């Protein structure tokens, strides 16, 4: 009986080993393409806790803009951005571009994460 218990406990590892193997509840990848092509891609990985962006990420609403809202037809350029990962244990996948006034405004609201919208 003692041999079985020792074998089971030996396979468990320390709590720090288990914590190291568990991914953080918040891990986000931000990919910005200022010219809209993979050639100019800028990639950032944010792990929380530990990054200055963590408090804002926890509060951010990445919902897409409502289709019921009329948007100005202003073209802001070819830039695109993609935010993927997990925030507080929930999956996030948010696309950004500059195809109209609503999209430009949304990018500006997230400039703390994406950077200022590039000028075309």
């Amino acid at each position: 009986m003692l041999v079985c218990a020792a074998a089971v406990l030996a396979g468990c590892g320390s709590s720090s080993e288990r914590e190291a193997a568990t991914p953080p509840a918040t891990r986000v990848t931000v990919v910005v393409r200022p010219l809209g092509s993979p050639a100019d891609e800028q990639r950032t990985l944010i792990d929380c806790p530990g990054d200055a962006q963590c408090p804002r990420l926890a509060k951010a609403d990445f919902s897409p803009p409502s289709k019921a809202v009329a948007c100005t037809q202003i073209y802001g350029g070819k830039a695109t951005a993609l935010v993927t990962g997990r925030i507080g244990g929930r999956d996030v996948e948010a696309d950004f571009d500059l195809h109209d006034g609503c999209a430009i405004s949304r990018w500006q609201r997230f400039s703390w994460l994406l950077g200022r919208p590039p000028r075309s």
Side-chain angles (χ1 to χ4, degrees):
M1 180 88 159
L2 277 177
V3 173
C4 290
V8 169
L9 290 175
C12 291
S14 70
S15 64
S16 62
E17 288 171 344
R18 284 191 303 270
E19 288 172 11
T22 304
T26 298
R27 172 176 269 175
V28 174
T29 301
V30 180
V31 178
V32 177
R33 295 177 173 172
L35 301 175
S37 89
D40 66 332
E41 183 173 287
Q42 301 163 2
R43 185 176 291 262
T44 305
L45 178 64
I46 300 171
D47 280 327
C48 299
D51 193 286
Q53 303 292 9
C54 296
R56 289 188 90 171
L57 278 173
K59 296 176 187 175
D61 179 7
F62 286 96
S63 302
S66 171
K67 301 244 186 234
V69 175
C71 300
T72 58
Q73 297 304 303
I74 300 171
Y75 180 69
K78 296 179 182 180
T80 63
L82 176 64
V83 178
T84 57
R86 294 181 65 75
I87 298 175
R90 64 180 160 81
D91 290 332
V92 173
E93 184 171 334
D95 294 308
F96 294 83
D97 60 36
L98 302 170
H99 72 273
D100 66 18
C102 293
I104 294 168
S105 177
R106 183 172 181 240
W107 188 304
Q108 289 171 337
R109 280 194 315 276
F110 281 92
S111 63
W112 57 271
L113 181 62
L114 306 174
R116 294 179 50 111
R119 298 194 182 264
S120 58

